[in-house]
Amino acid sequence: MVQIAPSMLSADFLHLEKDVEMVNAYADIFHLDVMDGVFVPNLSFGFPVIEAIASKAVKPLDVHLMIVSPEKYVKRFAEAGADMISFHLNATDEPGAVLQQIRQCGAKAGLVINPDIPVESLYPYLDKCDYILLMSVFAGFGGQKFIEDTYDRIKTLKAEILRRGLEIPIEVDGGVSPSNASALAEAGAEILVAGSAVFNADDPAQVIASMKA
Ligand code: DX5
Ligand code: ZN
């Protein structure tokens, strides 16, 4: 069954504990978007917020780094409580070394690409990845429109993962909602990130349940 990872970027920061408890109760993974204003034209949050969430979370913390030179911060994110850490392929000169560094810190290592980067560019690193994050919008902001091309990208990547006999879940991030969740799962996605669809809803638990169904 598909796992749902609400993006805390869309949470209510004045009542964060309430939203953390909602994810604990109804979802599977906390998705935490870290932006540096350099790799993407936006800033989000860092260690204090992640540590606060970690102190109440009973579900794994998935940190999505949209920062340059991720190798400088991997250890600190692991210490802050990250169970999964992903970074963008083009954010570093040494993706293989960063993947190894994440594993050495005891976290699962993920590689991310934006929609304009061919999935084939991930292939040299697949054996070092514990999961892949495919962006279905351009990283930087919540609430963008889902890019339809994503289905074919998932299928292509999934076929290569299966061909190699690997077990690497594909996570999809951006514009995910109950309207495309089942098609994404059918294409081969195993983790669905959803920010605005979950937190802008009157009943987040019901939205999560309908995406899992
Ligand atoms: C965008 C982030 C996403 C974002 C998703 O750069 O990586 O995780 O918060 O938000 P929605 O689901 O609203 O597109
Ligand atoms: Zn994200």
PDB file of all heavy atoms in Angstrom, residues 137-165:
ATOM      1  N   VAL A 137       6.603  18.799  -9.515  1.00  0.00           N
ATOM      2  CA  VAL A 137       6.597  20.252  -9.767  1.00  0.00           C
ATOM      3  C   VAL A 137       8.060  20.662  -9.623  1.00  0.00           C
ATOM      4  O   VAL A 137       8.871  19.879  -9.136  1.00  0.00           O
ATOM      5  CB  VAL A 137       5.745  21.046  -8.730  1.00  0.00           C
ATOM      6  CG1 VAL A 137       4.299  20.576  -8.714  1.00  0.00           C
ATOM      7  CG2 VAL A 137       6.350  20.970  -7.328  1.00  0.00           C
ATOM      8  N   PHE A 138       8.398  21.905  -9.989  1.00  0.00           N
ATOM      9  CA  PHE A 138       9.758  22.374  -9.739  1.00  0.00           C
ATOM     10  C   PHE A 138       9.894  22.750  -8.260  1.00  0.00           C
ATOM     11  O   PHE A 138       9.058  23.499  -7.723  1.00  0.00           O
ATOM     12  CB  PHE A 138      10.116  23.548 -10.663  1.00  0.00           C
ATOM     13  CG  PHE A 138      10.431  23.074 -12.052  1.00  0.00           C
ATOM     14  CD1 PHE A 138       9.419  22.901 -12.982  1.00  0.00           C
ATOM     15  CD2 PHE A 138      11.725  22.736 -12.402  1.00  0.00           C
ATOM     16  CE1 PHE A 138       9.690  22.399 -14.252  1.00  0.00           C
ATOM     17  CE2 PHE A 138      12.012  22.242 -13.674  1.00  0.00           C
ATOM     18  CZ  PHE A 138      10.990  22.071 -14.598  1.00  0.00           C
ATOM     19  N   ALA A 139      10.905  22.174  -7.610  1.00  0.00           N
ATOM     20  CA  ALA A 139      11.097  22.359  -6.172  1.00  0.00           C
ATOM     21  C   ALA A 139      11.163  23.840  -5.816  1.00  0.00           C
ATOM     22  O   ALA A 139      11.721  24.642  -6.570  1.00  0.00           O
ATOM     23  CB  ALA A 139      12.380  21.667  -5.733  1.00  0.00           C
ATOM     24  N   GLY A 140      10.586  24.195  -4.701  1.00  0.00           N
ATOM     25  CA  GLY A 140      10.696  25.564  -4.201  1.00  0.00           C
ATOM     26  C   GLY A 140       9.449  26.088  -3.502  1.00  0.00           C
ATOM     27  O   GLY A 140       9.561  26.867  -2.565  1.00  0.00           O
ATOM     28  N   PHE A 141       8.287  25.648  -3.949  1.00  0.00           N
ATOM     29  CA  PHE A 141       7.054  26.195  -3.383  1.00  0.00           C
ATOM     30  C   PHE A 141       5.981  25.109  -3.298  1.00  0.00           C
ATOM     31  O   PHE A 141       5.888  24.255  -4.185  1.00  0.00           O
ATOM     32  CB  PHE A 141       6.522  27.344  -4.256  1.00  0.00           C
ATOM     33  CG  PHE A 141       7.493  28.493  -4.355  1.00  0.00           C
ATOM     34  CD1 PHE A 141       8.436  28.527  -5.374  1.00  0.00           C
ATOM     35  CD2 PHE A 141       7.490  29.509  -3.410  1.00  0.00           C
ATOM     36  CE1 PHE A 141       9.357  29.567  -5.459  1.00  0.00           C
ATOM     37  CE2 PHE A 141       8.404  30.551  -3.479  1.00  0.00           C
ATOM     38  CZ  PHE A 141       9.342  30.588  -4.505  1.00  0.00           C
ATOM     39  N   GLY A 142       5.162  25.193  -2.262  1.00  0.00           N
ATOM     40  CA  GLY A 142       3.985  24.340  -2.178  1.00  0.00           C
ATOM     41  C   GLY A 142       2.892  24.894  -3.075  1.00  0.00           C
ATOM     42  O   GLY A 142       2.985  26.020  -3.557  1.00  0.00           O
ATOM     43  N   GLY A 143       1.860  24.100  -3.294  1.00  0.00           N
ATOM     44  CA  GLY A 143       0.671  24.588  -3.984  1.00  0.00           C
ATOM     45  C   GLY A 143       0.778  24.745  -5.488  1.00  0.00           C
ATOM     46  O   GLY A 143      -0.047  25.421  -6.096  1.00  0.00           O
ATOM     47  N   GLN A 144       1.784  24.116  -6.126  1.00  0.00           N
ATOM     48  CA  GLN A 144       1.904  24.219  -7.587  1.00  0.00           C
ATOM     49  C   GLN A 144       1.113  23.102  -8.278  1.00  0.00           C
ATOM     50  O   GLN A 144       0.725  22.111  -7.656  1.00  0.00           O
ATOM     51  CB  GLN A 144       3.374  24.105  -8.003  1.00  0.00           C
ATOM     52  CG  GLN A 144       4.292  25.154  -7.404  1.00  0.00           C
ATOM     53  CD  GLN A 144       5.714  24.966  -7.909  1.00  0.00           C
ATOM     54  OE1 GLN A 144       6.022  25.272  -9.051  1.00  0.00           O
ATOM     55  NE2 GLN A 144       6.589  24.449  -7.048  1.00  0.00           N
ATOM     56  N   LYS A 145       0.958  23.272  -9.606  1.00  0.00           N
ATOM     57  CA  LYS A 145       0.168  22.319 -10.386  1.00  0.00           C
ATOM     58  C   LYS A 145       1.011  21.094 -10.755  1.00  0.00           C
ATOM     59  O   LYS A 145       2.137  21.239 -11.243  1.00  0.00           O
ATOM     60  CB  LYS A 145      -0.337  23.022 -11.655  1.00  0.00           C
ATOM     61  CG  LYS A 145      -1.362  22.238 -12.444  1.00  0.00           C
ATOM     62  CD  LYS A 145      -1.814  23.049 -13.671  1.00  0.00           C
ATOM     63  CE  LYS A 145      -2.744  22.270 -14.577  1.00  0.00           C
ATOM     64  NZ  LYS A 145      -2.189  21.008 -15.082  1.00  0.00           N
ATOM     65  N   PHE A 146       0.455  19.936 -10.563  1.00  0.00           N
ATOM     66  CA  PHE A 146       1.089  18.657 -10.896  1.00  0.00           C
ATOM     67  C   PHE A 146       1.447  18.579 -12.388  1.00  0.00           C
ATOM     68  O   PHE A 146       0.626  18.932 -13.246  1.00  0.00           O
ATOM     69  CB  PHE A 146       0.109  17.534 -10.537  1.00  0.00           C
ATOM     70  CG  PHE A 146       0.591  16.160 -10.859  1.00  0.00           C
ATOM     71  CD1 PHE A 146       1.424  15.483  -9.981  1.00  0.00           C
ATOM     72  CD2 PHE A 146       0.204  15.526 -12.037  1.00  0.00           C
ATOM     73  CE1 PHE A 146       1.870  14.202 -10.276  1.00  0.00           C
ATOM     74  CE2 PHE A 146       0.646  14.250 -12.337  1.00  0.00           C
ATOM     75  CZ  PHE A 146       1.474  13.594 -11.455  1.00  0.00           C
ATOM     76  N   ILE A 147       2.649  18.106 -12.697  1.00  0.00           N
ATOM     77  CA  ILE A 147       3.103  17.962 -14.086  1.00  0.00           C
ATOM     78  C   ILE A 147       2.812  16.526 -14.559  1.00  0.00           C
ATOM     79  O   ILE A 147       3.336  15.554 -13.992  1.00  0.00           O
ATOM     80  CB  ILE A 147       4.603  18.314 -14.203  1.00  0.00           C
ATOM     81  CG1 ILE A 147       4.820  19.796 -13.843  1.00  0.00           C
ATOM     82  CG2 ILE A 147       5.135  18.002 -15.595  1.00  0.00           C
ATOM     83  CD1 ILE A 147       6.272  20.232 -13.729  1.00  0.00           C
ATOM     84  N   GLU A 148       1.993  16.418 -15.601  1.00  0.00           N
ATOM     85  CA  GLU A 148       1.453  15.112 -16.024  1.00  0.00           C
ATOM     86  C   GLU A 148       2.511  14.119 -16.514  1.00  0.00           C
ATOM     87  O   GLU A 148       2.320  12.900 -16.446  1.00  0.00           O
ATOM     88  CB  GLU A 148       0.408  15.314 -17.144  1.00  0.00           C
ATOM     89  CG  GLU A 148      -0.814  16.125 -16.732  1.00  0.00           C
ATOM     90  CD  GLU A 148      -1.723  15.379 -15.763  1.00  0.00           C
ATOM     91  OE1 GLU A 148      -1.834  14.144 -15.893  1.00  0.00           O
ATOM     92  OE2 GLU A 148      -2.308  16.037 -14.872  1.00  0.00           O
ATOM     93  N   ASP A 149       3.588  14.662 -17.027  1.00  0.00           N
ATOM     94  CA  ASP A 149       4.715  13.883 -17.513  1.00  0.00           C
ATOM     95  C   ASP A 149       5.261  12.897 -16.454  1.00  0.00           C
ATOM     96  O   ASP A 149       5.941  11.921 -16.770  1.00  0.00           O
ATOM     97  CB  ASP A 149       5.818  14.920 -17.835  1.00  0.00           C
ATOM     98  CG  ASP A 149       6.846  14.406 -18.779  1.00  0.00           C
ATOM     99  OD1 ASP A 149       6.466  13.584 -19.621  1.00  0.00           O
ATOM    100  OD2 ASP A 149       8.017  14.821 -18.654  1.00  0.00           O
ATOM    101  N   THR A 150       4.947  13.199 -15.204  1.00  0.00           N
ATOM    102  CA  THR A 150       5.481  12.425 -14.076  1.00  0.00           C
ATOM    103  C   THR A 150       5.154  10.928 -14.180  1.00  0.00           C
ATOM    104  O   THR A 150       5.979  10.087 -13.820  1.00  0.00           O
ATOM    105  CB  THR A 150       4.918  12.996 -12.754  1.00  0.00           C
ATOM    106  OG1 THR A 150       5.211  14.385 -12.719  1.00  0.00           O
ATOM    107  CG2 THR A 150       5.533  12.312 -11.547  1.00  0.00           C
ATOM    108  N   TYR A 151       3.971  10.601 -14.688  1.00  0.00           N
ATOM    109  CA  TYR A 151       3.582   9.181 -14.762  1.00  0.00           C
ATOM    110  C   TYR A 151       4.598   8.385 -15.582  1.00  0.00           C
ATOM    111  O   TYR A 151       5.029   7.298 -15.187  1.00  0.00           O
ATOM    112  CB  TYR A 151       2.182   9.014 -15.372  1.00  0.00           C
ATOM    113  CG  TYR A 151       1.099   9.677 -14.577  1.00  0.00           C
ATOM    114  CD1 TYR A 151       0.417  10.782 -15.084  1.00  0.00           C
ATOM    115  CD2 TYR A 151       0.750   9.211 -13.316  1.00  0.00           C
ATOM    116  CE1 TYR A 151      -0.588  11.403 -14.355  1.00  0.00           C
ATOM    117  CE2 TYR A 151      -0.251   9.822 -12.576  1.00  0.00           C
ATOM    118  CZ  TYR A 151      -0.911  10.916 -13.101  1.00  0.00           C
ATOM    119  OH  TYR A 151      -1.893  11.534 -12.378  1.00  0.00           O
ATOM    120  N   ASP A 152       4.965   8.927 -16.759  1.00  0.00           N
ATOM    121  CA  ASP A 152       5.913   8.222 -17.629  1.00  0.00           C
ATOM    122  C   ASP A 152       7.284   8.129 -16.964  1.00  0.00           C
ATOM    123  O   ASP A 152       7.998   7.138 -17.124  1.00  0.00           O
ATOM    124  CB  ASP A 152       6.046   8.937 -18.977  1.00  0.00           C
ATOM    125  CG  ASP A 152       4.819   8.704 -19.842  1.00  0.00           C
ATOM    126  OD1 ASP A 152       4.105   7.712 -19.586  1.00  0.00           O
ATOM    127  OD2 ASP A 152       4.571   9.510 -20.758  1.00  0.00           O
ATOM    128  N   ARG A 153       7.657   9.172 -16.227  1.00  0.00           N
ATOM    129  CA  ARG A 153       8.957   9.163 -15.549  1.00  0.00           C
ATOM    130  C   ARG A 153       8.987   8.089 -14.463  1.00  0.00           C
ATOM    131  O   ARG A 153       9.986   7.386 -14.301  1.00  0.00           O
ATOM    132  CB  ARG A 153       9.255  10.552 -14.971  1.00  0.00           C
ATOM    133  CG  ARG A 153       9.551  11.571 -16.070  1.00  0.00           C
ATOM    134  CD  ARG A 153       9.484  13.009 -15.604  1.00  0.00           C
ATOM    135  NE  ARG A 153      10.378  13.395 -14.532  1.00  0.00           N
ATOM    136  CZ  ARG A 153      11.682  13.641 -14.663  1.00  0.00           C
ATOM    137  NH1 ARG A 153      12.254  13.500 -15.851  1.00  0.00           N
ATOM    138  NH2 ARG A 153      12.408  14.019 -13.643  1.00  0.00           N
ATOM    139  N   ILE A 154       7.894   7.959 -13.731  1.00  0.00           N
ATOM    140  CA  ILE A 154       7.826   6.915 -12.697  1.00  0.00           C
ATOM    141  C   ILE A 154       7.970   5.537 -13.355  1.00  0.00           C
ATOM    142  O   ILE A 154       8.741   4.689 -12.900  1.00  0.00           O
ATOM    143  CB  ILE A 154       6.484   6.970 -11.925  1.00  0.00           C
ATOM    144  CG1 ILE A 154       6.353   8.294 -11.165  1.00  0.00           C
ATOM    145  CG2 ILE A 154       6.360   5.789 -10.964  1.00  0.00           C
ATOM    146  CD1 ILE A 154       4.945   8.529 -10.606  1.00  0.00           C
ATOM    147  N   LYS A 155       7.220   5.327 -14.449  1.00  0.00           N
ATOM    148  CA  LYS A 155       7.223   4.017 -15.111  1.00  0.00           C
ATOM    149  C   LYS A 155       8.612   3.655 -15.629  1.00  0.00           C
ATOM    150  O   LYS A 155       9.062   2.509 -15.487  1.00  0.00           O
ATOM    151  CB  LYS A 155       6.212   3.995 -16.262  1.00  0.00           C
ATOM    152  CG  LYS A 155       4.776   3.908 -15.773  1.00  0.00           C
ATOM    153  CD  LYS A 155       3.807   3.913 -16.954  1.00  0.00           C
ATOM    154  CE  LYS A 155       2.410   4.288 -16.500  1.00  0.00           C
ATOM    155  NZ  LYS A 155       1.576   4.783 -17.602  1.00  0.00           N
ATOM    156  N   THR A 156       9.286   4.626 -16.235  1.00  0.00           N
ATOM    157  CA  THR A 156      10.636   4.381 -16.762  1.00  0.00           C
ATOM    158  C   THR A 156      11.594   4.008 -15.640  1.00  0.00           C
ATOM    159  O   THR A 156      12.348   3.022 -15.727  1.00  0.00           O
ATOM    160  CB  THR A 156      11.156   5.651 -17.485  1.00  0.00           C
ATOM    161  OG1 THR A 156      10.227   5.998 -18.501  1.00  0.00           O
ATOM    162  CG2 THR A 156      12.521   5.427 -18.097  1.00  0.00           C
ATOM    163  N   LEU A 157      11.564   4.780 -14.562  1.00  0.00           N
ATOM    164  CA  LEU A 157      12.464   4.526 -13.436  1.00  0.00           C
ATOM    165  C   LEU A 157      12.140   3.196 -12.769  1.00  0.00           C
ATOM    166  O   LEU A 157      13.041   2.410 -12.441  1.00  0.00           O
ATOM    167  CB  LEU A 157      12.355   5.687 -12.429  1.00  0.00           C
ATOM    168  CG  LEU A 157      13.167   5.548 -11.142  1.00  0.00           C
ATOM    169  CD1 LEU A 157      14.663   5.408 -11.430  1.00  0.00           C
ATOM    170  CD2 LEU A 157      12.908   6.749 -10.223  1.00  0.00           C
ATOM    171  N   LYS A 158      10.855   2.946 -12.578  1.00  0.00           N
ATOM    172  CA  LYS A 158      10.421   1.696 -11.932  1.00  0.00           C
ATOM    173  C   LYS A 158      10.921   0.486 -12.732  1.00  0.00           C
ATOM    174  O   LYS A 158      11.401  -0.498 -12.154  1.00  0.00           O
ATOM    175  CB  LYS A 158       8.892   1.680 -11.851  1.00  0.00           C
ATOM    176  CG  LYS A 158       8.307   0.496 -11.132  1.00  0.00           C
ATOM    177  CD  LYS A 158       8.346   0.731  -9.652  1.00  0.00           C
ATOM    178  CE  LYS A 158       7.852  -0.478  -8.876  1.00  0.00           C
ATOM    179  NZ  LYS A 158       7.983  -0.270  -7.430  1.00  0.00           N
ATOM    180  N   ALA A 159      10.803   0.565 -14.058  1.00  0.00           N
ATOM    181  CA  ALA A 159      11.240  -0.546 -14.912  1.00  0.00           C
ATOM    182  C   ALA A 159      12.738  -0.806 -14.729  1.00  0.00           C
ATOM    183  O   ALA A 159      13.176  -1.957 -14.667  1.00  0.00           O
ATOM    184  CB  ALA A 159      10.912  -0.242 -16.376  1.00  0.00           C
ATOM    185  N   GLU A 160      13.525   0.260 -14.639  1.00  0.00           N
ATOM    186  CA  GLU A 160      14.972   0.098 -14.455  1.00  0.00           C
ATOM    187  C   GLU A 160      15.295  -0.496 -13.076  1.00  0.00           C
ATOM    188  O   GLU A 160      16.159  -1.370 -12.953  1.00  0.00           O
ATOM    189  CB  GLU A 160      15.675   1.454 -14.637  1.00  0.00           C
ATOM    190  CG  GLU A 160      17.179   1.432 -14.445  1.00  0.00           C
ATOM    191  CD  GLU A 160      17.918   0.612 -15.496  1.00  0.00           C
ATOM    192  OE1 GLU A 160      17.314   0.252 -16.535  1.00  0.00           O
ATOM    193  OE2 GLU A 160      19.115   0.321 -15.259  1.00  0.00           O
ATOM    194  N   ILE A 161      14.577  -0.044 -12.045  1.00  0.00           N
ATOM    195  CA  ILE A 161      14.793  -0.570 -10.693  1.00  0.00           C
ATOM    196  C   ILE A 161      14.485  -2.071 -10.676  1.00  0.00           C
ATOM    197  O   ILE A 161      15.256  -2.875 -10.149  1.00  0.00           O
ATOM    198  CB  ILE A 161      13.917   0.204  -9.672  1.00  0.00           C
ATOM    199  CG1 ILE A 161      14.453   1.628  -9.495  1.00  0.00           C
ATOM    200  CG2 ILE A 161      13.864  -0.516  -8.328  1.00  0.00           C
ATOM    201  CD1 ILE A 161      13.527   2.559  -8.702  1.00  0.00           C
ATOM    202  N   LEU A 162      13.375  -2.461 -11.298  1.00  0.00           N
ATOM    203  CA  LEU A 162      12.982  -3.870 -11.334  1.00  0.00           C
ATOM    204  C   LEU A 162      13.971  -4.684 -12.170  1.00  0.00           C
ATOM    205  O   LEU A 162      14.353  -5.797 -11.794  1.00  0.00           O
ATOM    206  CB  LEU A 162      11.565  -4.024 -11.889  1.00  0.00           C
ATOM    207  CG  LEU A 162      10.442  -3.491 -10.997  1.00  0.00           C
ATOM    208  CD1 LEU A 162       9.101  -3.580 -11.706  1.00  0.00           C
ATOM    209  CD2 LEU A 162      10.384  -4.245  -9.663  1.00  0.00           C
ATOM    210  N   ARG A 163      14.406  -4.112 -13.299  1.00  0.00           N
ATOM    211  CA  ARG A 163      15.354  -4.801 -14.179  1.00  0.00           C
ATOM    212  C   ARG A 163      16.630  -5.156 -13.419  1.00  0.00           C
ATOM    213  O   ARG A 163      17.231  -6.200 -13.626  1.00  0.00           O
ATOM    214  CB  ARG A 163      15.684  -3.898 -15.377  1.00  0.00           C
ATOM    215  CG  ARG A 163      16.416  -4.591 -16.517  1.00  0.00           C
ATOM    216  CD  ARG A 163      16.828  -3.608 -17.604  1.00  0.00           C
ATOM    217  NE  ARG A 163      17.864  -2.681 -17.200  1.00  0.00           N
ATOM    218  CZ  ARG A 163      19.156  -2.983 -17.088  1.00  0.00           C
ATOM    219  NH1 ARG A 163      19.573  -4.203 -17.367  1.00  0.00           N
ATOM    220  NH2 ARG A 163      20.027  -2.072 -16.703  1.00  0.00           N
ATOM    221  N   ARG A 164      17.024  -4.271 -12.499  1.00  0.00           N
ATOM    222  CA  ARG A 164      18.247  -4.512 -11.724  1.00  0.00           C
ATOM    223  C   ARG A 164      18.001  -5.326 -10.460  1.00  0.00           C
ATOM    224  O   ARG A 164      18.928  -5.578  -9.688  1.00  0.00           O
ATOM    225  CB  ARG A 164      18.863  -3.180 -11.297  1.00  0.00           C
ATOM    226  CG  ARG A 164      19.317  -2.334 -12.456  1.00  0.00           C
ATOM    227  CD  ARG A 164      20.274  -1.317 -11.952  1.00  0.00           C
ATOM    228  NE  ARG A 164      20.478  -0.239 -12.884  1.00  0.00           N
ATOM    229  CZ  ARG A 164      21.340   0.756 -12.660  1.00  0.00           C
ATOM    230  NH1 ARG A 164      22.030   0.787 -11.534  1.00  0.00           N
ATOM    231  NH2 ARG A 164      21.491   1.705 -13.547  1.00  0.00           N
ATOM    232  N   GLY A 165      16.756  -5.682 -10.212  1.00  0.00           N
ATOM    233  CA  GLY A 165      16.427  -6.466  -9.023  1.00  0.00           C
ATOM    234  C   GLY A 165      16.603  -5.687  -7.728  1.00  0.00           C
ATOM    235  O   GLY A 165      16.846  -6.266  -6.668  1.00  0.00           O
TER     236      GLY A 165
END
